Amino acid sequence: MPELPEVQSVVNHFRKYVEGQKIQSVKPLNEWNKVFHSISPTKLNHKLKSQNISKLWRRGKYIILDLDQGYLAIHLRMTGRLQTKINKTDHLKHFTVLMKFENGTNLYFKDYRKFGRWYYFETLSKLEAKLGPEPLGSAFTRQFLKEGLQRSPGMIKPKLLNQKFIAGIGNIYADESLWTARIHPMEKCCNISTVKSNRLHQAIQEILNKAIGHKGTTIINFSPGDEARGNFANYLNVFGKSNEPCPRCKTLIQKIFLGQRGTHFCPRCQKKR
DNA sequence: GAAAGTGTTGAAAG
DNA sequence: TCTTTCAACACTTT
């Protein structure tokens, strides 16, 4: 259930295993052909065979492999994990892709809920069309956030989860950012003052950077790579803390549902206008 | 033992 | 166009 900091941590971990490698073959495991989006396993293998991977990087929650011709994008969705080997404790039925390199090393994709997908693109234009700016990039300015919110009639929390608005924020970091900025998750975007919008802008960047520094948040089974864990869960203020005291004012954290997503906030610090 | 919950996303329906 | 609901899947918790 990786969001931007988790995906970045995966990229940071695997760069040294993947960059500069030449692909020998790619195939689905356990008959899970759906793991490759809109392309057959045979066709994808044909496209990728003998291609060099020049760069591993992240865009939104996608892991991108730059190839000689085209791009491979991997989305971990809820439970996807990359591994360089199969561990003793692994259930083999959870593995959905094996990528072999010509130097004899392997890259495995393990995904017990099977929501994760691999995409092949000739160019990244299709992907870019679905994604807003990087929240840690130069296009995500205070102006961008303020003007985007002004134009939106809906609630702030679902807006933060909208990847076309900002790429990479998910449920954990949306809740944490709103708590830090002291904004109610149901507040209408267009009612958010410039002061609060600026506070939110700063909160998003601070929290994402700090989370990357801790290799993301492992709650159940996220791993930045092989068996490593992210330990940002130790620094969460509201996510998963319903009925615990708010770290700021000791009021009990509430949990509500917004657009089918669990949403945690402090009813005292985060007041609606 | 059945039902509900889980960090994501996109398609379908309103 | 926008928001809401549901489905994809497997496992854990209630």
Side-chain angles (χ1 to χ4, degrees), chain A residues 18-238:
Chain A
V18 170
E19 286 186 348
Q21 297 279 5
K22 190 174 213 177
I23 299 170
Q24 185 181 78
S25 66
V26 179
K27 63 171 184 186
L29 299 172
N30 292 297
E31 324 263 313
W32 186 247
N33 294 348
K34 278 203 267 180
V35 67
F36 300 141
H37 186 261
S38 300
I39 187 166
S40 74
T42 316
K43 208 168 167 188
L44 182 68
N45 184 56
H46 186 72
K47 290 256 186 209
L48 298 187
K49 192 175 165 58
S50 300
Q51 290 232 44
N52 295 293
I53 302 167
S54 57
K55 192 175 156 198
L56 185 71
W57 55 290
R58 178 194 59 74
R59 176 73 174 98
K61 298 175 195 170
Y62 291 84
I63 297 164
I64 316 266
L65 287 75
D66 283 4
L67 309 170
D68 299 327
Q69 290 285 318
Y71 303 85
L72 188 67
I74 300 174
H75 199 301
L76 306 172
R77 294 283 186 101
M78 298 286 265
T79 54
R81 285 172 67 156
L82 294 177
Q83 296 184 188
T84 54
K85 49 187 66 130
I86 298 176
N87 302 300
K88 285 189 191 119
T89 51
D90 283 333
H91 296 272
L92 292 180
K93 64 176 179 177
H94 294 151
F95 286 84
T96 58
V97 184
L98 167 58
M99 177 180 268
K100 288 188 168 187
F101 301 118
E102 291 205 342
N103 74 349
T105 60
N106 295 322
L107 185 67
Y108 292 93
F109 189 49
K110 187 174 83 179
D111 185 20
Y112 77 84
R113 285 179 74 178
K114 296 199 178 87
F115 292 166
R117 292 291 180 270
W118 290 34
Y119 305 77
Y120 176 77
F121 296 116
E122 296 287 342
T123 73
L124 291 180
S125 54
K126 254 191 173 163
L127 193 62
E128 287 298 335
K130 295 197 296 188
L131 299 175
E134 285 292 322
L136 298 177
S138 56
F140 181 63
T141 60
R142 300 201 299 182
Q143 260 71 14
F144 171 87
L145 182 61
K146 190 180 71 184
E147 287 168 16
L149 296 183
Q150 266 165 3
R151 277 185 265 109
S152 303
M155 297 179 288
I156 180 64
K157 163 89 187 260
K159 186 74 178 174
L160 288 180
L161 295 179
N162 181 345
Q163 302 298 298
K164 204 168 175 178
F165 179 48
I166 307 169
I169 299 176
N171 213 22
I172 297 176
Y173 299 104
D175 282 3
E176 292 295 320
S177 301
L178 289 171
W179 179 84
T180 300
R182 307 199 296 282
I183 299 171
H184 194 291
M186 293 176 78
E187 184 68 274
K188 279 200 177 0
C189 295
C190 50
N191 280 346
I192 292 172
S193 66
T194 304
V195 171
K196 282 189 173 181
S197 171
N198 287 344
R199 225 152 56 195
L200 180 60
H201 180 268
Q202 186 178 0
I204 289 170
Q205 295 197 327
E206 275 180 9
I207 291 167
L208 293 178
N209 275 320
K210 194 172 163 198
I212 291 171
H214 290 280
K215 299 189 177 182
T217 304
T218 297
I219 293 176
I220 299 171
N221 66 356
F222 164 73
S223 170
D226 293 302
E227 287 308 279
R229 286 174 64 88
N231 62 10
F232 191 68
N234 301 332
Y235 301 89
L236 296 176
N237 289 301
V238 281

Side-chain angles (χ1 to χ4, degrees), chain A residues 179 233-234 236-255 264-267:
Chain A
W179 179 84
N234 301 332
L236 296 176
N237 289 301
V238 281
F239 189 86
K241 309 271 187 197
S242 51
N243 292 321
E244 292 181 38
C246 165
R248 229 172 2 223
C249 75
K250 310 303 173 205
T251 303
L252 295 188
I253 299 298
Q254 269 185 20
K255 183 176 184 183
H264 314 74
F265 72 104
C266 170

